[in-house]
Amino acid sequence: MNKLFWLKGLLLVGFTLYFTFATPQEVHAMHIMEGFLPVGWAITWWVLFLPFFILGLRSLRRVIQENPEVKLLVALVGAFSFVLSALKIPSVTGSSSHPTGTGLGAIVFGPWVMTVLGSMVLLFQALLLAHGGLTTLGANAFSMAVVGPAVAYGVYRLMMRISDKQGFAVFLAAALANLTTYVVTSLQLALAFPAEAGGVLASFVKFASIFAITQVPLAISEGLLTVLVLNLIQSYNQKELRLLHFGKKGTK
């Protein structure tokens, strides 16, 4: 047991060092930067995002009221997302590639709680680190805090229904949440800036292809790291997970 614990710890440190030192620090912005989207599209994504955020606030409030003991766990999954999504690689002009960290919280608490936490992560980074922006917060939150967690939760629940291999389910959920986030970001950029030849589709293919170069390895790395972190949480937060009815079949 001790050897397994230290092995997990060493792997976790290794991933942390990789994300920290192997990531270039010169970046354009986290996700879509401030002022990059036309006003009409910026407002549209805000309108689409807000209903999910309100639903998330209700879900988070219910979780905290029913199980006050899980507050630290909520903070942990939020911090996990904040740290991972702050590590960026320059990609498409006006945007960047990075892990999202939203899969972990979506698996443990469900997608709507992670919608609020992911939005708070994006807000703090926009205000404190100048990554992203307030006008583009609706678009960034829709891709990373709405679609990403929803995909992670859906994939995890589906995989746990057809298999009892939790590690693979967690890996696939976190990795696909990451990739789906950037598919949506590519679509957002394509809609705002359609190509002269080929329109939105050609622009989407261009943006998605550029993102794929950096995002695929990042998604794989994030999936593996999420498995390690969730294993550690299950080892040391069993009481909190039981309160959430979180089990091997993905119930919660």
Side-chain angles (χ1 to χ4, degrees), residues 23 27 29-32 81 84-92 94-102 122 125 139-140 142-145 147-149 151 174-190 203-220 222:
T23 304
V27 298
M30 197 212 57
H31 259 12
I32 304 173
S81 180
L84 285 195
S85 60
L87 306 171
K88 302 161 292 298
I89 296 176
S91 187
V92 178
S95 187
S96 61
S97 290
H98 57 81
T100 65
T102 59
L122 290 166
Q125 290 180 346
N140 291 334
F142 188 85
S143 61
M144 189 179 111
V147 177
V151 168
L176 288 181
N178 182 302
L179 290 176
T180 306
T181 295
Y182 281 90
V183 170
V184 175
T185 300
S186 298
L187 177 61
Q188 290 171 330
L189 292 172
S203 184
F204 172 78
V205 171
K206 180 185 72 173
F207 286 130
S209 299
I210 297 173
F211 272 133
I213 296 173
T214 51
Q215 207 57 41
V216 170
L218 282 176
I220 294 172
E222 180 176 341

Side-chain angles (χ1 to χ4, degrees), residues 43-53 138 142 146:
I43 295 174
T44 297
W45 291 113
W46 265 105
V47 171
L48 292 174
F49 157 69
L50 283 176
F52 294 100
F53 182 75
F142 188 85
V146 175

